[in-house]
Every structure is written in structure tokens, then in C-alpha cells.
Amino acid sequence: MTEKITVALAGNPNVGKTSIFNAITGSKQHVGNWPGVTVERKMGKRVHNDLEMEIVDLPGTYSLTAYSLDEIIARDFIIEEKPDIVVQVVDATNLERNLYLTTQLMELGVNLIIALNMTDLSLAKGDRIDAGKMQEFLEVPVVSTIGSKGNGIEGLLEEITKEFQRPQETDNVFTYDDAIEKVSEDLESVLESDPFFIHYPSRWFSLKLLEGDENIIRKAKESDSYPGIEKILNKVDAELLEAKIADQRYKTIQTMLRQVCNINTCSLSGSDMVDRVVTNKYLGIPVFLSLMWAAFEVTFTFATPFMNMIDIFFGWLAEAVTNVISVPWLASLVGEGMIAGVGSVLIFLPNILLLFFMISLMEDSGYMARAAFIMDKLMSRIGLHGKSFIPLVMGFGCNVPAIMATRTIEDTRDRLITILITPFMSCGARLPVYVLLAGAFFGRDAGVVIFSLYALGILIAVVSAKLMRGTVLRGEDTPFIMELPSYRVPTLKGSAIHMWERGQIYLKKAGTIILIGVVGVWLLASLPAPGSNAVFASDAIYGTTQSVIGVIGQFMEPLVAPLGFDWKIAVALLFGVVAKEIVVGSMGVLYGAGENEDNLSQILAAGAMTPLAGLGLMVFTLLYAPCFACIGVIKRETGSWKWTMFQLLYGTSLAWIFAFIVFQAGSRMGLLV
Amino acid sequence: MECNYSNKEVLFAALAGVLYSLFGIFNIAEGIGVNTGLAGILFVPGDILGGICLVVIGTVFLYGLKEMRQGINAGVSFVYVGILLSLVFMAVYLLIMAGSLLDSFIVPDDYEGWSIMETFRPGIYLGLISIAGMLYWKDSFSLHEVLVFREGY
Amino acid sequence: MNEKTLDFIEPDTSVKILKVAGQKSSRKRILDMGLTPGTRVDVVRRAPLGDPVEFKLKGYNLSLRKREAETVLVEIVE
């Protein structure tokens, strides 16, 4: 009969927790969300000697205070869900700071096991760590592991099994000076006499009160014993105590380290060597920009063949199915609706996977932190964080993976703002529209015009960020306190796993929305308008004035007339909400140019549209609602329809306003008519 | 205080630095329309951004040269990182070639009159120098040395 | 008086921490990361654009903006 237990994996960021998680759970893992927040939650299963373990990967945290969402999640999980075992993954090359979290886990009274990870790196570094002595000192099992190679995992599982069967009571290894201990005792006796606090380890709770933990103080206020607690707290200097407690924790850690290991302190590590170049005053930024360019080039050139394959496959599939089904409207629904819909989801996949692979390589190697370090100054000018830079740059390729990449931004407000302005980074799908219009109307100056569009997008993003920071999303500026981890050689397997996780999320969540959207548009384009006798979903009706969407377009004409657009453009723009790539194609159909873009270009230049309106259309395309894939991803990453709708309305309003200004002001000034 | 590098590193930095910078400049030149006549023989097409990247790599080497000549021990980091960077770019260009080749099979129409050598770049053959460097100094790239670099022991 | 705030310290200097002032949330975080009174910190470099600044302490590298470093009172050692 198998018993079931919960094992939580805790640890600092960058300690290889993920590779340990993967080594333990293999393919038996799934990703969800922590309740009520958009932080990712990874869970997995492993069976070992009749013991079924549910492994929960807690967010990486440096401590268990209450100032960041990640820390609150980790802490609440431990206190409320009470996992049977907590395994803390510790980076052997960075012991002192890693053990700070250990002190807090021990104060929480959990059944702790330490996985001393990256022992190969610490050995190569010349360190000597006696895991046995460490185990003696801490009175907690210490297992040496090398997560990236899967070493020590069996031992870890054994230890988990043993610990579960025979949990040990540990004495307080981490004690503080007499003054602090005395006050803590006083508090503990108050806490222990009140059943309100029965779920909390009293020592931990009292220390948190002394540290001035806001979350805990708020909880205490809810109880009847609060006056007694308050009296004791008023006698101490909270600020002083906070520093003292942190300091004494580190002192105890240092005492242990002196007995337990021999750390090789070299004045310049290999990692430092690389940083001399990478964060060099003159070379840092050029190197960074070059690597960014390289990442882009590879992704787009390498993804293109696969995207073409998918495109061709789905085109073929749609035709084949259409030929097989005899009922015309059904054939169109399945062919142009569903299959095209699925195709429009899958076509982004190579792009997303590759961009995420690049990002994983950068994160796993440690380079990402340097990128944030270098770019932070620019970002802080607009109220954001260095970590926002990479997603924004990625947006120039495709907004979809860019928005998904904002996960690395810890502060929710910063992350939200970054997500909201990413669509203004003109993505690759909009380029065909620019090329068509700029080519038709501006000839030799097309390049300059297109460049200005990109610049406009950036400008609007920057101003929007500042605006949002100042009004809707006001708040304290997040402190920039970021570790620069040692460089590591990323494993292809590890990065590939990261990449695949992102891909899955995209397929499942964003995919659903896109599919529904595409079928919806198909429906609108196929339904005969009231009063029309065209056949449902026939070629004669699809996307023409006879269909509902045509009627909608004509209905919208007055709305877009001030921008210099006609109903055909309105319809093309509507289609563009599905995917920006479709705008050109639908314009081709609507203007009767067929598949040939040069044809379309000539028709437009000959007078179907004025150059001014063309410019306005480009601006509109830059700013208005992003494609369904993007909408889907925004919803997924922000977790709210409210903000998704806000982005849509904000962007579309800006698009209208700017296109209006371009057309009206230009007309008044007699430009480009 | 012992020196952590010998004349070999200095020479390598000088050679690689000059070569990468030159080819980068040629690339940029071709990109802005100056005909250097090298387009055919040495596969230097007009590629402004790619050229800039090559110049950056060259500058990394040359900066290291400068530091080493000033006697700064840690200057040799630039040689190692320069080698790593050039290898990264070599891989990038090879992947671009592979991607284009693959694409040419999938959508042959787009590739009429195209040959794979259009995507061949100096970044690829210059990278061979770095491979040589990496093999020669492979001990420096080992895990132990990567993690520990002793200042003048 | 040899006391200065951390943001004023030039690269390639070592200091000892005297006191950490500042607001609740960033102060706590700074202390948690090991910048406790008595700790030795090396100032490694400033970012290419001048901010943030990279430090080495307790065997690892940490970066802070000048605004955060301003809250840490230190004295130069050696």
C-alpha cells in the first residue's frame, strides 16, 4: 500500500533547483498557477520504495520575509499546507548566503533536508566541504548532489523516505543573544497561551514579530492577545533588532562554515574574468547588442523554414479537407475556419520555441542578469527595471514570446507595465503592411518611413510606461537588488526543457483563445448579411459586402472616414486582429488584386488610397489591437481580462488618434495628398 | 608577480583583433555601397549589422591587447572571451546557413537563382582561428581553470 | 570621519558596513542578502551607464542601484 507525502523544494534562485526537480520527477510534471496569482507553480510525482511523493517546486527565494510575492507564496505554502518534507537546494559554491534561508526554514520547524548541489563546481573551484560535519552541526540530513548530472538523487530520495518515517526533533541550532532570546521567550509565552496562534510555530512567530514583519504583525493584530504583544514590542527598537537578527544569523553561519569547510577564495574567478569583458565600460553595451542581434538572426532565419512547413502543411490540409467534404459551408468551416485557426496557432510555435531556447540559454548561463545590469539605467528612466529590456527587445520579432518572457520580472507592477507596452514594439508580422504601403507611396524613402514607425512605437511605449507608472499603476519604485550569479555552462537538455514548457503553455492557453477568435471571424465573414441572398460560406460571400463582416465594415466606415480609410480597410483591419499577416492578403482580396502584392501596390498607388491615408494606415497598424495570439498571451500572463481589454482599448484609441492627426493635419497642410 | 600570459596570447589578440575588425569594416563598407571588390573572393557581402558585430569582436581582442601591453594580468580575459564570442558567432552563421538551406527546399520558388554560398560569411572562416586558439589553450577553458584564475600565483 | 555611504565608494575599494538605514522593504532585503553591519564588501565596478553598481560580498556578487546603496553607511578599510 503506497503512502502519499508532499515534498516541497525550496532554495535561492540560481541554485539548480530546476534540474533537481527534473531529475526527481522526470516527465511526470505539470505546470499550473499558484491560487489567485500569476506565478507559475510546478508539481511532479515520484514513487520510491512504496512512497508516493508529490513534489512541489516553490519559487526561488533568498529569505522568507513578506516583501515579495514569491516569498509570500513559499512561506504560506509551508505554513498552511504543511508539506511532510522540505528539501532545500543549496548552492555549494555560495554557501554563506544560501544558508540564510536555511536558518529561517529551521525556525519554521519544518522537516528539513539539505541537498548540497553543484558539488562538482565547488570541487573544481578548490573548495573542501565536509557534508557529514555540516549534518552534525545543523542536525539536519545533508545530501551531496549534482543536479545537472542526476548524481545523488537516489540518495536524496532515500533520505526523504527515512526522514518521513522517523522525523527528528531538532534543538534550536540558531540562537541569538540573551537580550533577544529573553524577549522572544516573553512573546512565546503570550503566543502559546492563545489558541489563535496554534498553527504557527511560536518561536518563529515571535522572531518575526521582533523583526517587524508586516504580514505577521497584521495577523497578530487580529487576535485578542495583541495588546500584550504590543506592550512587549514597544519595549524594543525594531530597526535595531532587525539588523541584529540578520547579523546574528550570518554569524552563526560563519561559525559553522569555519568548522565545516575550506573555501578557496581566489581574487579573480573565471566568472569575474568574463565579466571584465561583458560589463566593461566601453565594450559591455556593444557586446550585448551584438549578442541580441545574433539571437534574433538565428531565431528568425532558423524558424522560417519550419514556419513555412507548417504553413504549407495546413494549406494542403485545408484544401484536402475542403475537397473531401461535400457540404460547402461545412467544408469552409472546417477548412477556412478550424484548420486555418489551428494553423494560425501552430505557425508561431517554431518562433516561440527558438526565442525561448535563446532566453533559457541566457538565463541558465547567468548572462541575463548582466543584461539587466547593463540596461537598468535606461529602464529606470521610464520607471521600469533592467529585466524589462529583453522582453521589449524580443517584441520586435514577435510580441507573443516577448510577453511570455516577462515572467522573469519579479515585481507585479513592473511586469504588468512591460506587458502592456510590449505590443508597441512593432512586431515582424506588421512589417509586410509597412513594406506594401511604404513601397507603394514612398518609393525610395520607404526605408526612412518604416524606421520612423519603429521609432514612433518605441516613443509611445516609453511615454506610456511613464504615464502608467505615474497614474494607473502608481507605486513605490521597486528596489534594484539583484544577484549576479556565477556563469554556468547551460545544459542543452535543461534549456530544451524550459523551452518546451513555454511551448506547452502557449499551445494550451493562448491557443484556445486564438482558435475561438479565428472561427469567430470566419463565421462573421461567412454569414450572409440580413437582406442578402448569397449562400452561407460560399466563395461569393466570404469577406465581401454580402457578409456580416462586410456589413460591419461598412457600418464602421464613418468611424474610419476621418482617418482617410474606406470600408475595405476597416474589414482588413478587423481581419488583422486575428493575425497581422492577414491584413495584406485581405486587402488584396478586397481591392481585387488577387494574390499578387505588386498588383495591389499599383492599385493603391493609382488612387485607391491617398499617400496620406497610407501613412495613417501604417500608424494605425502599429498601434491598434494586437493579434489574437498576442491577446491570448496577454490574458494568460496578466491573468485578467480587465488589463487585456485595457491594452486593446488603449492601443486602438491611440491608433485612431494618431492616424487622425496624420490624416487631418496632413490634409490641412496639403502634404502628400 | 608572475605573468599569466605569454607572448602567444598577445600575438593572438593582435592577429584576431585586426582580422575581425578589418573584415567587419569591409562588411559595413559593402553595406553602404562602397565596392571593395572582395565580395566575390572572400564572401564579404553587404551586411552592416553583421559587420558591426565583427568589429565588436575585433575590438574585444584589441582591448585585451591594450591591457596586456600595459601589464594588466587580467587583460588575457579578453582573449578568452573574444574566442568564445567568435565561436558563438560562427555557430550563428552556420545555423543561418542551415536555416536558409532548409528553407530553400521547402519554398523553392523564393530561392530562384540563389546559392547557399550567399549566406557564407567571414564570421565562419575567421572562427577557425578561434577554434585553433581554443584547442591550443584548452586547459584554460577547463572547468577548474574557468572557475579559478589566480592573480599572479 | 571615515564614514561614507556606499554609493560614494569608488570601484576597487573595500569597505566595512556600519549601518543600514532606509525604508522597510528595501532595508530588509539588503540585510537578508548579507549586507549586515560588520560585513566586508568590495566595490567591483559601475555599469557602463553609471548605474547600478556591482559589489562582492560573502563570496558572491550583488548589484544595487545608487539609490539603494545610499542607505548603507560604510567605512573604508585597509
Side-chain angles (χ1 to χ4, degrees):
Chain A
M1 222 251 307
T2 46
E3 266 204 85
K4 289 194 182 166
I5 63 169
T6 334
V7 176
L9 272 188
N12 284 184
N14 302 307
V15 296
K17 194 153 59 74
T18 312
S19 52
I20 299 260
F21 181 80
N22 290 335
I24 296 179
T25 61
S27 52
K28 300 215 182 73
Q29 40 176 282
H30 70 275
V31 178
N33 266 350
W34 289 94
V37 292
T38 51
V39 178
E40 205 175 77
R41 170 174 172 155
K42 275 211 298 219
M43 312 221 280
K45 280 207 196 321
R46 176 66 183 252
V47 179
H48 183 83
N49 292 351
D50 286 343
L51 202 57
E52 188 181 308
M53 307 178 198
E54 164 127 16
I55 320 278
V56 179
D57 191 14
L58 297 178
T61 60
Y62 292 104
S63 90
L64 293 178
T65 52
Y67 289 113
S68 95
L69 188 55
D70 282 348
E71 291 172 342
I72 297 179
I73 289 176
R75 178 163 107 173
D76 283 349
F77 181 80
I78 293 178
I79 296 179
E80 280 154 37
E81 308 285 332
K82 296 202 194 322
D84 299 289
I85 306 274
V86 173
V87 172
Q88 185 197 352
V89 182
V90 165
D91 176 3
T93 64
N94 210 332
L95 276 179
E96 193 173 343
R97 196 209 60 227
N98 268 254
L99 290 172
Y100 189 78
L101 180 62
T102 319
T103 68
Q104 305 193 19
L105 287 171
M106 288 175 69
E107 272 163 16
L108 262 179
V110 299
N111 281 339
L112 186 65
I113 297 180
I114 291 183
L116 193 62
N117 200 26
M118 303 192 169
T119 43
D120 54 341
L121 294 181
S122 74
L123 252 146
K125 206 166 145 251
D127 296 341
R128 306 255 170 280
I129 306 176
D130 191 332
K133 271 204 183 149
M134 202 163 134
Q135 184 164 312
E136 260 180 58
F137 189 99
L138 293 173
E139 296 177 23
V140 154
V142 174
V143 181
S144 290
T145 58
I146 304 177
S148 56
K149 300 190 184 141
N151 294 10
I153 302 297
E154 279 299 311
L156 184 58
L157 293 170
E158 271 303 311
E159 204 58 55
I160 294 177
T161 321
K162 276 195 335 211
E163 184 73 5
F164 175 66
Q165 283 152 359
R166 170 189 48 87
Q168 300 177 326
E169 276 301 318
T170 47
D171 294 324
N172 286 329
V173 174
F174 288 95
T175 54
Y176 302 90
D177 65 36
D178 293 334
I180 297 180
E181 289 290 344
K182 173 86 186 48
V183 180
S184 185
E185 265 177 45
D186 292 341
L187 277 175
E188 281 173 64
S189 41
V190 175
L191 296 172
E192 273 159 14
S193 60
D194 185 341
F196 181 80
F197 298 105
I198 198 157
H199 291 297
Y200 302 99
S202 49
R203 179 175 166 80
W204 176 80
F205 203 93
S206 78
L207 284 169
K208 281 287 165 231
L209 286 169
L210 290 173
E211 276 182 82
D213 188 306
E214 281 174 3
N215 216 310
I216 292 298
I217 293 183
R218 230 178 299 142
K219 277 235 162 64
K221 281 189 177 155
E222 291 169 21
S223 86
D224 301 320
S225 319
Y226 187 65
I229 295 177
E230 197 175 13
K231 209 166 74 168
I232 304 178
L233 287 180
N234 281 340
K235 285 193 259 171
V236 298
D237 178 347
E239 237 190 58
L240 191 58
L241 221 51
E242 212 183 353
K244 268 190 169 189
I245 289 181
D247 183 44
Q248 290 177 18
R249 284 185 180 136
Y250 271 113
K251 288 244 163 45
T252 316
I253 293 174
Q254 283 156 9
T255 314
M256 178 189 77
L257 289 180
R258 272 193 287 270
Q259 299 168 21
V260 147
C261 59
N262 219 317
I263 305 285
N264 190 351
T265 46
C266 47
S267 40
L268 199 68
S269 72
S271 198
D272 292 333
M273 262 173 52
V274 176
D275 273 340
R276 284 197 107 243
V277 183
V278 161
T279 50
N280 178 275
K281 189 158 160 197
Y282 307 105
L283 292 171
I285 296 188
V287 167
F288 172 65
L289 293 176
S290 306
L291 286 173
M292 287 284 103
W293 177 86
F296 259 109
E297 278 288 296
V298 172
T299 311
F300 287 99
T301 332
F302 208 65
T304 311
F306 296 99
M307 290 170 84
N308 283 334
M309 278 202 281
I310 294 179
D311 200 23
I312 292 179
F313 173 69
F314 276 90
W316 166 86
L317 187 62
E319 259 206 64
V321 164
T322 317
N323 289 337
V324 166
I325 299 183
S326 47
V327 182
W329 70 263
L330 187 61
S332 182
L333 170 62
V334 174
E336 274 156 353
M338 298 204 278
I339 293 186
V342 171
S344 73
V345 174
L346 288 182
I347 200 164
F348 283 106
L349 202 58
N351 215 323
I352 291 180
L353 289 179
L354 265 176
L355 270 170
F356 272 116
F357 187 71
M358 297 288 140
I359 293 193
S360 302
L361 280 181
M362 290 203 284
E363 272 182 340
D364 294 347
S365 64
Y367 184 68
M368 197 66 105
R370 274 77 185 171
F373 179 71
I374 294 175
M375 285 299 153
D376 183 62
K377 176 100 191 198
L378 274 181
M379 294 286 110
S380 66
R381 284 257 172 81
I382 56 178
L384 290 176
H385 195 271
K387 285 193 168 186
S388 297
F389 189 78
I390 299 233
L392 290 175
V393 168
M394 285 175 64
F396 285 114
C398 179
N399 294 147
V400 177
I403 292 177
M404 288 172 75
T406 57
R407 278 160 183 266
T408 50
I409 304 173
E410 286 142 6
D411 180 71
T412 11
R413 258 194 293 262
D414 282 346
R415 192 167 151 219
L416 186 55
I417 295 182
T418 312
I419 292 178
L420 293 176
I421 66 175
T422 300
F424 296 131
M425 304 287 135
S426 187
C427 71
R430 292 172 222 202
L431 198 50
V433 179
Y434 304 155
V435 170
L436 172 74
L437 294 170
F441 298 117
F442 296 101
R444 309 210 61 204
D445 295 323
V448 176
V449 172
I450 297 183
F451 179 75
S452 323
L453 283 168
Y454 277 85
L456 179 63
I458 297 177
L459 184 62
I460 294 201
V462 165
V463 171
S464 303
K466 283 212 102 148
L467 263 174
M468 290 189 218
R469 239 326 175 177
T471 55
V472 187
L473 284 160
R474 187 182 314 199
E476 241 178 61
D477 276 338
T478 6
F480 185 95
I481 302 174
M482 185 183 74
E483 180 188 2
L484 290 164
S486 292
Y487 286 100
R488 308 251 161 83
V489 178
T491 51
L492 283 177
K493 187 169 149 202
S495 300
I497 293 182
H498 278 150
M499 167 190 91
W500 184 238
E501 275 170 10
R502 295 279 176 272
Q504 279 190 316
I505 293 172
Y506 168 70
L507 284 178
K508 273 192 243 174
K509 295 295 171 86
T512 333
I513 297 189
I514 298 167
L515 196 49
I516 294 177
V518 170
V519 174
V521 170
W522 174 87
L523 204 58
L524 290 176
S526 310
L527 278 172
S532 148
N533 21 12
V535 178
F536 177 63
S538 62
D539 276 337
I541 195 182
Y542 193 74
T544 65
T545 38
Q546 305 289 324
S547 66
V548 173
I549 211 172
V551 171
I552 295 180
Q554 297 193 296
F555 181 69
M556 284 174 64
E557 192 164 64
L559 285 176
V560 297
L563 312 179
F565 304 160
D566 61 15
W567 71 269
K568 295 179 191 161
I569 303 206
V571 171
L573 286 173
L574 274 177
F575 274 128
V577 180
V578 176
K580 298 285 174 282
E581 290 92 336
I582 301 185
V583 174
V584 174
S586 35
M587 278 175 76
V589 169
L590 291 165
Y591 281 97
E595 286 288 308
N596 195 326
E597 279 171 25
D598 290 324
N599 227 343
L600 179 58
S601 188
Q602 283 168 358
I603 293 181
L604 290 174
M609 184 191 261
T610 65
L612 199 53
L615 185 59
L617 181 56
M618 287 195 270
V619 170
F620 198 92
T621 311
L622 169 71
L623 297 172
Y624 87 121
C627 66
F628 273 154
C630 196
I631 295 176
V633 153
I634 293 181
K635 157 66 174 67
R636 214 237 162 236
E637 295 298 321
T638 58
S640 97
W641 278 113
K642 165 177 142 203
W643 286 113
T644 314
M645 286 299 130
F646 174 75
Q647 212 292 324
L648 287 180
L649 288 171
Y650 181 64
T652 312
S653 315
L654 277 182
W656 198 95
I657 294 173
F658 276 85
F660 181 79
I661 294 177
V662 165
F663 188 70
Q664 295 296 340
S667 305
R668 301 265 176 286
M669 296 196 280
L671 296 170
L672 297 171
V673 175
Chain B
M1 193 158 80
E2 252 184 66
C3 206
N4 266 289
Y5 55 88
S6 68
N7 276 332
K8 300 213 180 83
E9 277 87 344
V10 176
L11 274 171
F12 187 92
L15 182 66
V18 167
L19 279 177
Y20 270 94
S21 309
L22 267 179
F23 276 87
I25 295 178
F26 290 150
N27 257 314
I28 300 176
E30 286 277 348
I32 53 180
V34 175
N35 192 338
T36 60
L38 290 168
I41 350 164
L42 290 172
F43 300 102
V44 179
D47 183 4
I48 300 184
L49 290 176
I52 295 181
C53 293
L54 289 180
V55 170
V56 168
I57 298 180
T59 318
V60 168
F61 281 117
L62 292 175
Y63 196 90
L65 179 68
K66 171 184 97 105
E67 284 210 339
M68 288 193 281
R69 300 271 311 214
Q70 287 174 338
I72 301 178
N73 252 336
V76 71
S77 345
F78 288 84
V79 176
Y80 297 134
V81 174
I83 290 181
L84 285 174
L85 278 176
S86 51
L87 290 176
V88 165
F89 273 84
M90 184 169 127
V92 164
Y93 284 121
L94 285 171
L95 280 172
I96 292 178
M97 273 183 94
S100 303
L101 187 63
L102 192 54
D103 207 26
S104 69
F105 289 132
I106 298 181
V107 251
D109 295 333
D110 289 351
Y111 288 80
E112 271 182 42
W114 174 89
S115 97
I116 185 144
M117 289 321 255
E118 268 184 43
T119 54
F120 195 68
R121 292 279 184 279
I124 298 180
Y125 54 79
L126 287 178
L128 294 172
I129 305 177
S130 290
I131 294 191
M134 187 166 180
L135 290 173
Y136 185 75
W137 286 302
K138 72 167 165 341
D139 296 328
S140 300
F141 287 91
S142 80
L143 194 62
H144 178 88
E145 282 299 313
V146 165
L147 294 173
V148 174
F149 175 84
R150 282 172 242 272
E151 271 277 6
Y153 288 4
Chain C
M1 284 267 258
N2 218 358
E3 285 179 11
K4 288 194 179 163
T5 48
L6 194 52
D7 59 320
F8 273 111
I9 311 292
E10 291 296 314
D12 285 329
T13 321
S14 296
V15 296
K16 192 171 80 154
I17 298 191
L18 296 173
K19 184 171 139 91
V20 181
Q23 288 179 318
K24 265 269 170 164
S25 52
S26 47
R27 178 170 193 261
K28 192 61 175 24
R29 173 61 127 221
I30 291 177
L31 287 171
D32 282 347
M33 295 302 272
L35 286 160
T36 52
T39 306
R40 183 199 166 102
V41 175
D42 303 324
V43 180
V44 180
R45 62 171 63 84
R46 297 190 205 274
L49 295 172
D51 201 16
V53 187
E54 186 182 349
F55 304 99
K56 205 175 171 83
L57 68 143
K58 292 198 173 6
Y60 80 100
N61 290 46
L62 181 68
S63 60
L64 298 177
R65 278 185 188 154
K66 283 193 193 151
R67 198 181 40 204
E68 277 77 51
E70 218 171 48
T71 65
V72 183
L73 199 62
V74 301
E75 75 178 354
I76 303 187
V77 295
E78 279 174 348

